Amino acid sequence: MEIFPMTLNRRTLLSLTGGLAGAVIAPATLRAADLPQEVRIDYATYSPTSLVLKRFGWLEEDLKRDGVAVKWVFSAGSNRALEYLNAKSLDIGSAAGLAALLARANGNPIRAPYIFSRPEWTALLVPKDSPIRTLADLKGKKVAATKGTDPYLFLLRALQTVKLKRSDIEHVSLQHADGRAALEQGRVDAWAGLDPHMAASELTAGSRLLYRNVAFNTYGFLNVREDFQQRHPELLRRVIGAYERARLWTLANTGEAARILADEAKVSLQVALLQLKLRTDLSNPQPSAEHVKALQAATPILLDEQLVKPGTDLLRTVEALVDTRFAQGLIRQA
């Protein structure tokens, strides 16, 4: 997969448009027995297809004939989505793959039957005039990151590359938007950002990318509570089918999808295009060995930083989390 540079000029951003042709997923028929009154799904600015799906009401239209309502719940970060799933206030929620693995390892009974994106959505940023030039310079500095999310785990993995640990910095736990504000106001020295907040900070405040690593960005997982998947598999398939419709529409109408993202996230169109067109890969939604291997490669950080109980079999946890079979037959080529 090609990831485009994070830094680009204004003219390039303004010229970006979508262009691939999409298709519509034909809905399956739900079993009438034992259907819930509503399905509770999150939407998030780090999951642009969820915003498209919510905006057009395709899922509501599809499920209305079966008497199932759709309740949308906003997730400000992976940590929120995973908390809601664990509390059973969400049935289906979007989170970064490594964050989902951490949650599963710590007792959150979720599975991941669909990949909503392969993003480069996080990096380490410093203010534009910061004297910090390398990761090693972060020793003893204040770094903001949202605990339990991909940016936080990205930060820990990045520090490890220069033999630093969490205890070598002063971690400031802030939700993503608050982390951006703290960086721009000079209250922290660095920030593990998340798009679209990261893109907005780059383009509006001139925040500088200190460290980026595509391999340390884990996939966007659409997670479902295990009990919901077991009780309502056909309903879950309909939700995934709707996500597929939103994915294909976004690929075919990237400019319009960026406008939806800009509206929902309250950012400029240029920021939305930077996130959606240049940092979001929607080409591979089928969970596979690729996603299993990516998570297995990331498991040491969870043990090294004592984020899971000693002796936790994380390789088996990965296999229990990533459902490589459920969405087979539902994925369509763009």
Side-chain angles (χ1 to χ4, degrees), residues 2 21 39 92 121 141 180 187 211 225 235 239 258 262 283 288-289 306 316 322 330:
E2 181 178 5
V39 57
I92 299 165
W121 53 17
K141 298 295 194 295
R180 172 193 170 189
R187 293 186 282 116
Y211 179 78
R225 294 196 338 269
L235 179 54
V239 173
S283 66
S288 67
Q306 299 180 343
R316 291 189 65 180
V322 183
L330 299 174

Side-chain angles (χ1 to χ4, degrees), residues 4-161:
F4 293 88
M6 282 191 172
T7 305
L8 65 167
N9 61 46
R10 183 181 181 86
R11 179 177 297 176
T12 301
L13 281 168
L14 289 172
S15 68
L16 295 172
T17 58
L20 294 176
V24 176
I25 305 302
T29 301
L30 284 175
R31 296 188 180 94
D34 195 32
L35 287 175
Q37 292 184 338
E38 66 178 11
V39 57
R40 299 161 300 175
I41 307 174
D42 79 339
Y43 66 103
T45 55
Y46 55 85
S47 173
T49 48
S50 73
L51 305 181
V52 169
L53 185 55
K54 177 176 177 287
R55 174 66 61 92
F56 288 115
W58 293 324
L59 187 58
E60 288 91 333
E61 180 183 344
D62 179 26
L63 298 182
K64 184 178 180 180
R65 60 196 172 104
D66 295 293
V68 179
V70 178
K71 180 180 180 181
W72 292 98
V73 179
F74 178 69
S75 290
S78 295
N79 60 326
R80 293 288 181 257
L82 294 164
E83 287 168 10
Y84 299 154
L85 284 164
N86 200 37
K88 296 188 176 182
S89 55
L90 265 185
D91 302 309
I92 299 165
S94 46
L98 193 53
L101 175 62
L102 176 59
R104 171 90 193 196
N106 286 325
N108 195 337
I110 55 173
R111 300 212 75 195
Y114 185 79
I115 306 298
F116 66 80
S117 73
R118 171 57 167 115
E120 186 180 12
W121 53 17
T122 188
L124 287 173
L125 291 86
V126 294
K128 61 180 179 181
D129 298 324
S130 172
I132 296 172
R133 295 293 168 183
T134 69
L135 284 174
D137 295 336
L138 292 178
K139 187 173 183 178
K141 298 295 194 295
K142 292 182 178 180
V143 184
T146 309
K147 201 168 183 179
T149 67
D150 222 32
Y152 177 68
L153 297 168
F154 180 95
L155 166 64
L156 298 182
R157 297 177 78 184
L159 292 174
Q160 201 174 58
T161 66

Side-chain angles (χ1 to χ4, degrees), residues 215-331:
F216 285 0
N217 286 254
T218 55
Y219 299 81
F221 280 22
L222 190 67
N223 304 287
V224 60
R225 294 196 338 269
E226 252 183 341
D227 62 337
F228 185 90
Q229 181 174 4
Q230 290 167 0
R231 291 202 314 268
H232 308 297
E234 291 302 326
L235 179 54
L236 177 58
R237 288 186 181 93
R238 290 273 280 277
V239 173
I240 290 175
Y243 258 91
E244 272 295 276
R245 182 176 181 180
R247 180 181 72 91
L248 295 173
W249 185 91
T250 300
L251 286 170
N253 302 275
T254 308
E256 292 179 55
R259 279 184 273 275
I260 292 172
L261 172 59
D263 181 50
E264 290 283 348
K266 304 297 187 291
V267 297
S268 70
L269 181 59
Q270 293 95 325
V271 167
L273 283 167
L274 174 54
Q275 175 186 348
L276 186 56
K277 187 73 175 179
L278 300 186
R279 296 183 187 170
T280 303
D281 180 359
L282 301 175
S283 66
N284 185 19
Q286 172 65 56
S288 67
E290 171 188 339
H291 307 100
V292 170
K293 290 177 182 177
L295 287 186
Q296 289 175 338
T299 56
I301 194 66
L302 304 184
L303 293 167
D304 293 345
E305 293 290 341
Q306 299 180 343
L307 299 176
V308 296
K309 293 178 181 179
T312 300
D313 189 339
L314 287 174
L315 298 184
R316 291 189 65 180
T317 306
V318 170
E319 293 173 355
L321 172 67
V322 183
D323 188 336
T324 59
R325 296 185 296 177
F326 190 86
Q328 288 178 358
L330 299 174
I331 307 302

Side-chain angles (χ1 to χ4, degrees), residues 140-208:
K141 298 295 194 295
K142 292 182 178 180
V143 184
T146 309
K147 201 168 183 179
T149 67
D150 222 32
Y152 177 68
L153 297 168
F154 180 95
L155 166 64
L156 298 182
R157 297 177 78 184
L159 292 174
Q160 201 174 58
T161 66
V162 290
K163 300 187 182 339
L164 293 179
K165 295 184 177 181
R166 180 175 42 172
S167 58
D168 291 318
I169 64 165
E170 183 179 343
H171 171 235
V172 181
S173 185
L174 295 170
Q175 201 63 45
H176 301 301
D178 298 326
R180 172 193 170 189
L183 181 79
E184 295 177 0
Q185 294 166 9
R187 293 186 282 116
V188 296
D189 301 296
W191 168 52
L194 182 75
D195 274 339
H197 308 292
M198 181 170 69
S201 191
E202 287 179 77
L203 294 180
T204 62
S207 297
R208 176 166 51 85

